[in-house]
Amino acid sequence: MQLPTKPQTATELLEALATAQDGLGKGGRRLASFFADNLGANAVLSASEVAQRCGVNASTVVRLAQGLGYSGYREFQAVLQDQLMTFAQARAQETSPTVPSLSVRPVRLHLLADSGKSFNEGAAAAAQNYCGMNPGVAISSDLHASYTVDPVDFARRIEAAAGVSDGIILVAREHPAINDAVRTVTAKGIPVVCLTTDLPTSGRTAYVGSDQYVSGATAGWLCGRMLPAGSSGRVLFVYSVPFRCHQDREQGFRHVLRTEFPDLAIDEKVSSDESVDVIYEAVRRYIAKSGPPAAVYNVSGANIGVGRALEDEGISHSTVFIGHELNANSRSLLERNIMDVTIGHDFDREISLAVDSIRLAREGVQPINRITQSQVFTRFNCATF
């Protein structure tokens, strides 16, 4: 395959990919389809990252770019980067640029989340960002605060979403009705990718997110190191509804405390139910009963409730406080030195990986689980949020 003239714009590139399809092998056709549907992502992905997502060798990626008339993959990318720059400038001027369609029919996806308010907002914002860079993808969001969720009703929502979507990005607790709904949906050929918290026994298509056991172990190590050497005392553990990610974080945290800091012990758990008011009252009741803890580890949401309780009890600067998810609330707590560490993750990258997994599944390729790196934020680097 060699085109007489290399494409100069993203629109010409789409046309060239469509023309070249018949002359490509199976791997080449998979690549061409991925390029056509992910122009925004391909503007920043390396050849090896594209190859990994499509299950081919990096050399195959380079050969396809050369077959389109480019000297290599970097020149191919330059066309996409120029297009994205033009699009970004036009949006900044509040114009309506002509953006090439990234697929003949838009891919319709559904983000269905059962979590805390801040997490839901972060996931929805990342989905909107992705769609802004990839106009051929439409992601609708159906977001629910965990303390309002009935698992049986949520399971029905999963099945309903499958009727109007090409794939589902799912954040959900472990529950038999939810697992059954995922099995029903995937049996009908609708991919379901679990985001942040896994449902490994549900038959889901893939998992995208951090290794939550490692995240918990990291929190445990930081907690032990931030307290004075040889410290003993109680660590207040804050949990929520039965999310797999919370269970994995707890196991990692407990393992590190047991092996590295045996004088520290998780004395008691309190439930946040992902509600600021609920966790605020629960932490204050615990302190009234047991006294100030040496540290607080929150594996769930509603960090602001923990922070307020520590502040009102006058122990915010003497109690180590570690939690998850960098958002406006946790950033404020970090900057005010009420929270010591937030363990976060890259929402934008994870949404992109989830969409890629759904695309591969729709093309008959079984996607692999994509494990992303946890990020550690303190008051010194939280401004990157």
Side-chain angles (χ1 to χ4, degrees):
M1 177 200 71
Q2 182 69 50
L3 297 178
T5 304
K6 63 185 177 184
Q8 301 297 314
T9 67
T11 300
E12 292 177 2
L13 181 54
L14 284 169
E15 294 172 351
L17 288 169
T19 301
Q21 285 276 359
D22 292 339
L24 299 174
K26 184 176 179 180
R29 288 194 298 273
R30 191 184 305 152
L31 276 173
S33 177
F34 181 80
F35 284 147
D37 289 340
N38 295 273
L39 294 187
N42 280 292
V44 296
L45 292 175
S46 67
S48 60
E49 287 176 317
V50 171
Q52 184 178 19
R53 296 187 189 198
C54 296
V56 300
N57 294 323
S59 59
T60 305
V61 179
V62 176
R63 283 197 299 271
L64 179 59
Q66 292 172 337
L68 293 170
Y70 302 108
S71 60
Y73 184 67
R74 287 189 178 181
E75 189 180 11
F76 167 91
Q77 273 191 312
V79 172
L80 304 182
Q81 290 166 351
D82 287 345
Q83 181 72 37
L84 288 177
M85 182 64 70
T86 301
F87 179 43
Q89 291 172 345
R91 288 189 68 182
Q93 298 168 5
E94 297 184 350
T95 62
S96 299
T98 301
V99 180
S101 172
L102 304 190
S103 60
V104 175
R105 170 186 171 281
V107 178
R108 299 169 303 184
L109 305 181
H110 208 84
L111 170 63
L112 185 56
D114 157 17
S115 191
K117 180 181 177 182
S118 296
F119 179 97
N120 287 343
E121 290 173 350
Q128 287 182 337
N129 291 341
Y130 183 90
C131 293
M133 296 293 288
N134 297 271
V137 178
I139 305 177
S140 58
S141 297
D142 187 10
L143 312 174
H144 302 268
S146 292
Y147 60 88
T148 69
V149 169
D150 172 7
V152 175
D153 176 68
F154 195 81
R156 286 194 286 264
R157 289 179 179 274
I158 295 172
E159 296 193 42
V164 295
S165 304
D166 297 312
I168 297 173
I169 302 171
L170 182 66
V171 183
R173 68 188 72 190
E174 287 198 298
H175 188 277
I178 292 173
N179 283 339
D180 286 345
V182 173
R183 277 189 285 270
T184 298
V185 167
T186 54
K188 294 178 180 178
I190 303 298
V192 177
V193 173
C194 289
L195 185 72
T196 300
T197 185
D198 201 5
L199 297 174
T201 64
S202 68
R204 63 20 174 189
T205 306
Y207 166 72
V208 171
S210 304
D211 183 327
Q212 302 295 353
Y213 181 94
V214 170
S215 294
T218 301
W221 186 84
L222 289 169
C223 178
R225 295 289 292 179
M226 295 179 88
L227 290 167
S231 289
S232 62
R234 299 181 307 275
V235 178
L236 176 60
F237 183 81
V238 180
Y239 71 101
S240 179
V241 295
F243 289 107
R244 171 58 69 104
C245 66
H246 295 176
Q247 297 168 12
D248 290 346
R249 290 169 185 171
E250 179 183 0
Q251 289 177 5
F253 187 86
R254 284 184 180 276
H255 175 75
V256 169
L257 256 62
R258 184 172 61 250
T259 58
E260 303 285 337
F261 308 100
D263 292 329
L264 294 174
I266 295 178
D267 178 57
E268 189 173 341
K269 296 182 183 181
V270 295
S271 175
S272 72
D273 205 22
E274 303 287 338
S275 165
V276 170
D277 293 335
V278 169
I279 190 54
Y280 172 81
E281 295 297 340
V283 171
R284 295 204 69 181
R285 283 196 302 272
Y286 170 85
I287 294 171
K289 174 185 174 183
S290 305
V296 177
Y297 176 43
N298 182 14
V299 300
S300 61
N303 285 312
I304 199 74
V306 178
R308 286 176 184 170
L310 296 180
E311 227 179 350
D312 287 353
E313 292 291 337
I315 60 172
S316 59
H317 298 304
S318 58
T319 300
V320 172
F321 175 20
I322 299 176
H324 289 262
E325 300 300 335
L326 184 66
N327 51 47
N329 289 336
S330 56
R331 181 185 181 188
S332 172
L333 292 171
L334 288 169
E335 290 176 338
R336 292 157 55 206
N337 207 24
I338 295 170
M339 194 174 195
D340 295 285
V341 175
T342 294
I343 298 179
H345 55 104
D346 188 339
F347 255 136
D348 289 326
R349 175 165 172 74
E350 289 174 357
I351 288 291
S352 178
L353 291 173
V355 175
D356 289 349
S357 296
I358 290 173
R359 288 188 184 282
L360 289 173
R362 291 177 64 232
E363 294 167 7
V365 180
Q366 176 58 47
I368 61 173
N369 295 339
R370 302 303 300 271
I371 305 303
T372 59
Q373 291 293 324
S374 298
Q375 301 170 334
V376 176
F377 295 96
T378 68
R379 64 190 176 99
F380 301 105
N381 70 337
C382 66
T384 56
F385 166 68

